[in-house]
Amino acid sequence: MNDDFYIDPELAHSLQPKIDRMKNDDDWSGLVDLLMPVCQRYKMEYYYFYEISGAYYQLRNFSEALKYADAAYDIEKHDVIVLYARGMALHGCERHAEALDMFDRILRKNAKRTAYGIHGEGIGTFATFNDARYMKGVCFMEMGDYIRARRYIKLHLTKRRRGMYSDFPKRQVLKRYNKLLELIEKSKKST
């Protein structure tokens, strides 16, 4: 393998606990600082571009999140985590139609095959699929299509399972869902 493109497995193995710790500690700036040189040296390691994108998203720097999500996407257009990161960054940049396309691409895939296939994240893949459903609903809501938004947010809530990770606390999802129901009622009254 060419050192300019792919990271040494031992280095990757030593980096992962640091990445996990920084994410658990919400040290998003530290994560960017840690991974920036990795991305500059290993230009085909899309996973690190994905991680930087997520860190910038958490820092609410959506244009930088999109820049690194696009870099990951240029390398790997089929990995669900890349599609998800790009969708989240596009949503953060208020490009909802493009974000919908990313979430649709995730949901058109076979979840079981994706979970245990080449890019498989195992059981965590099912959480990504369900969060993509939620974000699809959020995008529809932002675009004013409340009926479709209700469908996807309700589906997200139906598919949630105890112990299954989600980027979105159930309380947050329910709050958005209740706001959505209010908007639907308001739109019915105004017509």
Side-chain angles (χ1 to χ4, degrees), residues 13 29 31 40 43-44 49 63 90 95 125 134 146 150 153 155 158 161 164 185:
H13 185 72
S29 296
L31 186 58
Q40 289 169 348
K43 295 171 180 48
M44 295 303 288
F49 288 96
S63 60
L90 286 163
R95 293 166 56 182
T125 300
Y134 174 69
Y146 301 143
R150 178 178 61 191
I153 294 173
L155 188 57
T158 303
R161 298 288 177 260
M164 181 194 292
E185 275 304 309

Side-chain angles (χ1 to χ4, degrees), residues 141-154:
M141 188 175 173
E142 297 292 330
M143 295 167 68
D145 189 340
Y146 301 143
I147 302 305
R148 283 186 181 168
R150 178 178 61 191
R151 176 179 170 213
Y152 285 99
I153 294 173
K154 188 174 184 179

Side-chain angles (χ1 to χ4, degrees), residues 1-15 19 33-52 68 71-76:
M1 287 187 217
N2 186 336
D3 283 343
D4 294 328
F5 294 103
Y6 298 102
I7 195 166
D8 174 63
E10 287 182 29
L11 177 56
H13 185 72
S14 70
L15 275 175
I19 293 169
D33 292 343
L34 174 71
L35 295 179
M36 194 66 71
V38 175
C39 289
Q40 289 169 348
R41 177 157 183 208
Y42 305 106
K43 295 171 180 48
M44 295 303 288
E45 294 288 352
Y46 70 91
Y47 170 73
Y48 300 107
F49 288 96
Y50 151 79
E51 288 289 4
I52 288 179
Y68 285 92
Y73 183 77
D74 288 344
I75 300 164
E76 180 51 67

Side-chain angles (χ1 to χ4, degrees), residues 15 29 44 51 60 86 89 98 102 113 122 127 133-134 136 140 151 161 169 188:
L15 275 175
S29 296
M44 295 303 288
E51 288 289 4
R60 305 193 62 74
R86 189 162 189 266
E98 293 171 86
M102 293 295 107
R113 193 173 305 144
R133 280 184 198 95
Y134 174 69
K136 190 170 176 177
F140 278 128
R151 176 179 170 213
R161 298 288 177 260
K188 283 181 184 176

Side-chain angles (χ1 to χ4, degrees), residues 1 3 6 24 56 77 83 97 108 119 157 159 166:
M1 287 187 217
D3 283 343
Y6 298 102
N24 286 336
Y56 275 124
K77 291 176 174 37
L83 297 173
R108 283 194 302 262
H119 302 296
L157 285 165
K159 298 219 176 242
S166 176

Side-chain angles (χ1 to χ4, degrees), residues 61-79:
N61 186 338
F62 302 124
S63 60
E64 284 297 300
L66 182 57
K67 175 182 166 183
Y68 285 92
D70 281 345
Y73 183 77
D74 288 344
I75 300 164
E76 180 51 67
K77 291 176 174 37
H78 304 288
D79 192 332

Side-chain angles (χ1 to χ4, degrees), residues 65-131:
L66 182 57
K67 175 182 166 183
Y68 285 92
D70 281 345
Y73 183 77
D74 288 344
I75 300 164
E76 180 51 67
K77 291 176 174 37
H78 304 288
D79 192 332
V80 168
I81 63 170
V82 172
L83 297 173
Y84 184 76
R86 189 162 189 266
M88 292 299 291
L90 286 163
H91 174 263
C93 292
E94 298 185 11
R95 293 166 56 182
H96 304 298
E98 293 171 86
L100 270 173
D101 181 55
M102 293 295 107
F103 300 128
D104 276 338
R105 288 186 56 196
I106 293 168
L107 296 172
R108 283 194 302 262
K109 293 179 177 287
N110 179 303
K112 285 185 181 176
R113 193 173 305 144
T114 301
Y116 304 110
I118 190 168
H119 302 296
E121 295 289 322
I123 194 94
T125 300
F126 298 104
T128 303
F129 270 70
N130 204 34
D131 284 349

